[in-house]
Amino acid sequence: MVNDVGKLSGYEFYRRVLGSPQYVVAPMVDQSELAWRMLCRKYGAQLCYSPMYHANLFANDPKYRKDALQTCPEDRPLIIQLCGNDPQQMLDAALAAQDYCDAVDINLGCPQAIAKRGHYGSFLQDEWELLTQIVNTLHEKLSVPVTCKIRIFEDRDKTIRYAQMLEAAGCQLLTVHGRTREQKGPLTGVADWSYIKSVRENIKIPMFANGNILGLEDVHRCLVATGVDGVMSAEGNLTNPAIFQGIAPTCWDMGNEYLDFVEQYPCPTSYIRGHIFKLFHQIMNIRQNAELREQLATANQLEQFRGVVAKIKNKYEPYQKGDAIYTMEEMDASITHYTSDHKEMLPPWLCQPYVRASPESHRQKIAEKEREAIDPNRIKRQYFDKDGNEISRKRMKKLRRRQRRPNKSDAHNKARHDRQLEYCVQCVNPLGFKCEFRLCRVCCREKCYSDDCDCPGHGILIKSRRAKAKQFEEHSKHGGINDSGVVTVETVGADADESDDLTNNDSVETPKRKNEVI
């Protein structure tokens, strides 16, 4: 259907504008930037969302908005996601974004602590009156449709009513993440598709599902189980951008292709590092690859990232081609987890999903640590430095952090601490590098007071302030200071001079002054 301002809505919008997408790349903070979106589109993504943008910054900070609105003609269909809690701010941001996308999405699903502090995302899900106002404002004022992404409540009926409220307010497409606000981090657990199905059966607008998508087979299972129109992938997409083609390419192929897109569509270094870590998450969790992990963690140039990818390719490509027999390497069990029903593990150089430990195993691990902490017979862990001296745990962690820093040899650290300093010509204190008198701050201040001079390097402006004080004193002699402390000076105006001249010439008519009543 078409609404009163001429924009498509509902299924007409879904079909004619978005092209009836089933494979959707989720909005991911600092992760679904243009370079990544273009890589995903190459491998089957039919719709992409932008990263989440803060409405206040997007509306009021031109630099933030310019950096955020990175797109190209091939980057369509595209939905830009905003977060915020003020209807006017959300509208201002959406108006600035609407010319660059096909719809504007409201983030109502972020469960992180930063969303709680900023009071947005899933921490607005109980404020239905405010959400109605935000959604309705955007629905009525934008030239593109407004969509929403939410999480479920523990109460199924409340989740349904929540979705119906957003639909009634003007939401034209709804994405439902099948987890509650509390299901995050180690307590993420499994998304409940039955809630998604219940919502699907009770609303009339197009709908996407999110959660439990580790491969293409999960996408198809979700479509059948929930009846939704499309499936959104976040974490599964990050570990395998070819997830919608159902293939597991080598991580170096995906890494190089992503870096090619970065070269074409530049993005911050932190984004690049995050993506490469996700693509290589299995390889980087192998203990023998600790040095490669360190190189990736400290890389800050495109060629450095390419160098890490090349080293991984040189090491593992012979195994991929069958020129050598691969022997399983030692994995860091504290980082990588597999559920009991997980399929046979793929070789670590192939793109594959990251499988979290279950919340139950996390709770069990926490309980074990608590029992160990109160056990009087437990053996206290000891830590030693490289010389065999016992040190505290805090000191040990500091040494490990120092060891992870690149190119920081002992000689380098010693030279850094033994650098030569220049000293004040009048005392033993270090001189100010910008001081034109080559003095420390204390000696410089004394010189400026005694010699009536300024030192811009130290910001000591004695001469200038004395000149201003003298000027103030001279002005005070010709005027006074009123009750407000403002100097008032009597001035001789043109009217007074003219008046004196005219008194000696009776034949000349005295001019009338301003505001004089005639």
Side-chain angles (χ1 to χ4, degrees):
M1 57 179 285
V2 180
N3 64 16
D4 54 357
V5 294
K7 63 184 177 185
L8 297 175
S9 59
Y11 274 99
E12 285 297 308
F13 156 68
Y14 172 74
R15 297 187 183 104
R16 292 169 58 182
V17 177
L18 300 184
S20 302
Q22 288 187 320
Y23 305 148
V24 184
V25 175
M28 297 172 285
V29 177
D30 298 346
Q31 298 281 264
S32 54
E33 81 287 357
L34 177 58
W36 186 259
R37 296 198 300 267
M38 296 305 293
L39 176 64
C40 295
R41 291 182 191 278
K42 179 180 178 180
Y43 284 94
Q46 298 168 337
L47 169 65
C48 291
Y49 281 66
S50 75
M52 179 192 74
Y53 301 135
H54 290 263
N56 184 25
L57 292 173
F58 197 94
N60 300 311
D61 187 336
K63 183 180 184 304
Y64 180 90
R65 183 167 61 250
K66 180 182 177 182
D67 293 341
L69 288 175
Q70 189 183 23
T71 185
C72 64
E74 297 77 21
D75 185 33
R76 302 300 276 268
L78 174 68
I79 295 179
I80 290 180
Q81 188 185 70
L82 300 172
C83 70
N85 56 28
D86 180 86
Q88 187 59 48
Q89 278 185 356
M90 291 289 287
L91 176 60
D92 292 342
L95 289 171
Q98 66 179 359
D99 293 337
Y100 302 90
C101 61
D102 299 293
V104 172
D105 186 73
I106 302 174
N107 184 329
L108 301 177
C110 182
Q112 304 304 324
I114 190 173
K116 184 175 183 179
R117 291 195 297 270
H119 193 52
Y120 60 81
S122 63
F123 297 93
L124 291 176
Q125 66 181 20
D126 293 311
E127 301 185 34
W128 292 13
E129 184 176 345
L130 173 62
L131 292 182
T132 297
Q133 186 179 0
I134 292 174
V135 174
N136 190 252
T137 299
L138 270 58
H139 172 61
E140 292 183 348
K141 302 292 179 63
L142 296 182
S143 62
V144 296
V146 58
T147 70
C148 298
K149 185 173 186 292
I150 65 172
R151 286 191 169 226
I152 63 173
F153 290 94
E154 291 187 2
D155 186 327
R156 187 183 301 267
D157 290 337
K158 187 174 182 180
T159 303
I160 295 172
R161 295 197 306 274
Y162 182 37
Q164 290 173 333
M165 176 272 294
L166 294 173
E167 179 183 22
C171 175
Q172 300 302 317
L173 186 152
L174 184 68
T175 301
V176 180
H177 188 151
R179 294 184 175 94
T180 65
R181 185 171 61 192
E182 290 69 34
Q183 288 182 278
K184 58 184 178 180
L187 299 179
T188 296
V190 179
D192 193 333
W193 287 354
S194 69
Y195 277 67
I196 299 176
K197 180 180 180 181
S198 297
V199 173
R200 170 67 284 176
E201 293 171 347
N202 286 276
I203 63 174
K204 298 178 181 179
I205 57 177
M207 184 172 152
F208 296 151
N210 186 208
N212 300 349
I213 307 302
L214 301 181
L216 184 59
E217 63 278 7
D218 295 325
V219 173
H220 294 154
R221 286 196 305 109
C222 185
L223 288 170
V224 173
T226 62
V228 294
D229 302 286
V231 173
M232 179 181 287
S233 175
E235 208 166 59
N237 169 261
L238 290 176
T239 54
N240 182 7
I243 184 174
F244 295 128
Q245 287 193 343
I247 60 176
T250 60
C251 55
W252 55 79
D253 284 339
M254 290 294 96
N256 280 323
E257 288 193 48
Y258 170 65
L259 294 176
D260 289 341
F261 278 113
V262 169
E263 197 163 2
Q264 186 176 359
Y265 308 109
C267 65
T269 302
S270 60
Y271 296 13
I272 305 172
R273 186 181 299 110
H275 280 301
I276 301 298
F277 261 118
K278 289 287 187 181
L279 290 172
F280 289 79
H281 74 100
Q282 285 281 21
I283 284 177
M284 292 305 175
N285 290 338
I286 295 174
R287 294 187 185 278
Q288 291 90 328
N289 292 334
E291 185 176 347
L292 287 172
R293 184 181 181 90
E294 196 63 37
Q295 292 177 16
L296 178 56
T298 56
N300 55 20
Q301 295 179 359
L302 196 60
E303 289 309 311
Q304 293 176 328
F305 289 112
R306 289 193 185 276
V308 173
V309 175
K311 289 179 180 179
I312 292 174
K313 180 179 179 179
N314 291 337
K315 178 178 179 179
Y316 290 100
E317 191 173 36
Y319 303 124
Q320 172 68 8
K321 290 182 175 180
D323 297 337
I325 298 176
Y326 179 69
T327 302
M328 285 296 296
E329 299 170 278
E330 182 183 2
M331 305 291 288
D332 189 340
S334 65
I335 300 176
T336 305
H337 302 279
Y338 288 91
T339 58
S340 58
D341 61 346
H342 187 67
K343 296 181 179 180
E344 185 178 352
M345 291 175 57
L346 294 171
W349 58 83
L350 297 182
C351 292
Q352 55 194 285
Y354 173 77
V355 184
R356 297 175 180 272
S358 66
E360 291 73 22
S361 63
H362 172 72
R363 294 189 184 97
Q364 184 178 359
K365 186 183 297 185
I366 296 299
E368 290 175 357
K369 288 184 177 180
E370 290 175 349
R371 285 195 298 270
E372 289 178 1
I374 62 176
D375 185 0
N377 300 320
R378 70 185 177 94
I379 300 176
K380 183 180 178 181
R381 295 181 65 181
Q382 294 178 298
Y383 305 97
F384 302 90
D385 61 15
K386 62 181 181 180
D387 298 323
N389 301 316
E390 186 174 359
I391 57 176
S392 67
R393 183 171 181 267
K394 183 177 180 180
R395 175 66 178 168
M396 178 272 300
K397 293 174 69 176
K398 186 175 182 179
L399 290 176
R400 287 182 179 175
R401 284 197 301 270
R402 187 175 296 172
Q403 291 171 0
R404 290 196 293 266
R405 297 171 186 165
N407 304 323
K408 298 289 185 179
S409 62
D410 292 339
H412 177 87
N413 290 329
K414 186 176 186 302
R416 179 168 171 255
H417 290 290
D418 293 346
R419 65 183 185 274
Q420 296 297 320
L421 297 175
E422 295 185 65
Y423 295 94
C424 174
V425 298
Q426 293 185 7
C427 69
V428 297
N429 290 325
L431 62 81
F433 290 114
K434 295 182 179 180
C435 179
E436 59 187 47
F437 307 119
R438 299 185 63 77
L439 300 172
C440 67
R441 186 174 186 83
V442 175
C443 295
C444 184
R445 179 177 288 276
E446 292 179 356
K447 177 177 176 61
C448 290
Y449 269 106
S450 60
D451 296 354
D452 191 27
C453 57
D454 291 343
C455 177
H458 274 123
I460 301 172
L461 307 176
I462 303 301
K463 182 179 179 180
S464 300
R465 291 181 178 178
R466 285 175 176 172
K468 287 183 179 180
K470 187 175 180 181
Q471 184 180 10
F472 179 84
E473 184 178 359
E474 290 176 354
H475 278 290
S476 299
K477 292 179 181 179
H478 296 88
I481 301 178
N482 61 23
D483 294 338
S484 301
V486 179
V487 178
T488 58
V489 182
E490 290 184 358
T491 58
V492 181
D495 284 350
D497 292 339
E498 189 176 8
S499 157
D500 291 338
D501 293 337
L502 295 176
T503 54
N504 297 322
N505 191 348
D506 295 336
S507 64
V508 179
E509 187 180 47
T510 303
K512 295 181 174 56
R513 299 183 181 276
K514 294 179 180 179
N515 300 328
E516 183 176 347
V517 178
I518 301 177

